[in-house]
């Protein structure tokens, strides 16, 4: 085999296994909650060896952080509509769809749990928060580059994301489009 044939193909078996493991984690969180399952149970649910999980992620916490980051990034990319108001409305609508979708509450509960557990949890929470804030900042910087007045990333978190997260965590759903647009309007 030459070097090119040995290279992993994204979308091959490795991607399939990653998707199966991520779905197993999401399902277990939905069924049992954070902290109520082991790597062995994730492996059994995903149909892989637990050694595969340890080899790829190293620990359950690293796997959980990867699941949360992957889901948040894949489902809620930063829009570019040409205006800060349009970007914030599109982003808020994407986030609302994700956190109220079939796996959304589990991913949201996972992100909250990772942000509020022990020393390692603080590190995982820092990773999640830093990545999301970096993405928000890039959207807001783009607006400023266009000459628009843009809020701070923390203001977006406080005035748009936090109210939606709280509603979902307390079961106050669905998140109506009028409610989401109102959050953006109050911020701007």
């Amino acid at each position: 085999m030459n070097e090119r044939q040995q290279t992993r193909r994204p979308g091959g078996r490795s991607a399939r296994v990653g998707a199966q493991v991520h779905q197993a984690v999401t399902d277990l969180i939905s069924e049992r909650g954070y902290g109520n399952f082991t790597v062995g149970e994730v492996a059994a649910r995903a149909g892989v060896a637990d050694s595969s999980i340890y080899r790829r992620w190293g620990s359950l916490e690293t796997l959980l952080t990867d699941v949360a980051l992957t889901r948040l990034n894949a489902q809620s990319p930063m829009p570019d509509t040409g205006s800060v108001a349009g970007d914030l409305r599109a982003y808020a609508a994407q986030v609302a769809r994700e956190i109220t979708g079939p796996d959304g509450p589990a991913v949201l509960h996972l992100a909250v749990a990772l942000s509020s557990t022990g020393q390692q949890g603080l590190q995982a929470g820092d990773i999640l928060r830093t990545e999301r804030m970096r993405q928000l900042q890039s959207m807001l910087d783009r607006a400023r580059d266009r000459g628009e007045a843009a809020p701070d990333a923390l203001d977006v978190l406080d005035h748009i994301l936090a109210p939606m997260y709280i509603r979902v965590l307390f079961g106050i759903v669905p998140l109506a489009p009028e409610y989401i647009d109102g959050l953006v309007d109050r911020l701007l």
Side-chain angles (χ1 to χ4, degrees), residues 25-48:
V25 166
T26 304
D27 293 345
L28 286 165
I29 289 169
S30 292
E31 294 168 15
R32 301 182 191 176
Y34 175 80
N36 296 316
F37 54 87
T38 65
V39 167
E41 291 169 310
V42 172
R45 175 73 61 103
V48 301

Side-chain angles (χ1 to χ4, degrees), residues 137-152:
Q137 194 60 54
S138 71
M139 180 177 62
L140 299 170
D141 288 345
R142 215 176 32 241
R144 287 186 191 96
D145 290 345
R146 290 188 301 256
E148 295 180 88
D152 292 327

Side-chain angles (χ1 to χ4, degrees), residues 86-109:
D87 289 352
L88 289 171
R89 284 187 205 304
Y91 176 67
Q94 288 172 358
V95 170
R97 279 189 301 276
E98 171 58 15
I99 64 176
T100 60
D103 295 332
V107 173
L108 183 56
H109 283 281

Side-chain angles (χ1 to χ4, degrees), residues 29-187:
I29 289 169
S30 292
E31 294 168 15
R32 301 182 191 176
Y34 175 80
N36 296 316
F37 54 87
T38 65
V39 167
E41 291 169 310
V42 172
R45 175 73 61 103
V48 301
D50 56 351
S51 60
S52 295
I53 292 175
Y54 284 115
R55 187 171 37 257
R56 187 167 182 170
W57 287 281
S59 70
L60 182 58
E61 176 137 358
T62 302
L63 169 59
L64 296 174
T65 302
D66 184 51
V67 168
L69 272 174
T70 300
R71 293 301 287 269
L72 290 172
N73 292 338
Q75 300 297 325
S76 302
M78 295 296 120
D80 187 359
T81 65
S83 75
V84 70
D87 289 352
L88 289 171
R89 284 187 205 304
Y91 176 67
Q94 288 172 358
V95 170
R97 279 189 301 276
E98 171 58 15
I99 64 176
T100 60
D103 295 332
V107 173
L108 183 56
H109 283 281
L110 173 58
V112 169
L114 288 170
S115 296
S116 61
T117 58
Q119 182 62 23
Q120 288 182 336
L122 289 174
Q123 292 169 357
D126 288 344
I127 292 168
L128 292 170
R129 184 178 53 257
T130 299
E131 177 62 16
R132 185 49 66 182
M133 294 302 281
R134 183 194 63 74
Q135 292 173 341
L136 283 171
Q137 194 60 54
S138 71
M139 180 177 62
L140 299 170
D141 288 345
R142 215 176 32 241
R144 287 186 191 96
D145 290 345
R146 290 188 301 256
E148 295 180 88
D152 292 327
L154 277 175
D155 288 336
V156 174
L157 179 68
D158 288 342
H159 296 281
I160 296 176
L161 297 178
M164 290 193 301
Y165 289 175
I166 291 296
R167 283 186 172 232
V168 170
L169 289 170
F170 286 110
I172 306 169
V173 288
L175 299 175
E178 303 80 33
Y179 171 75
I180 297 165
D181 287 345
L183 293 174
V184 174
D185 290 343
R186 284 189 290 283
L187 174 60

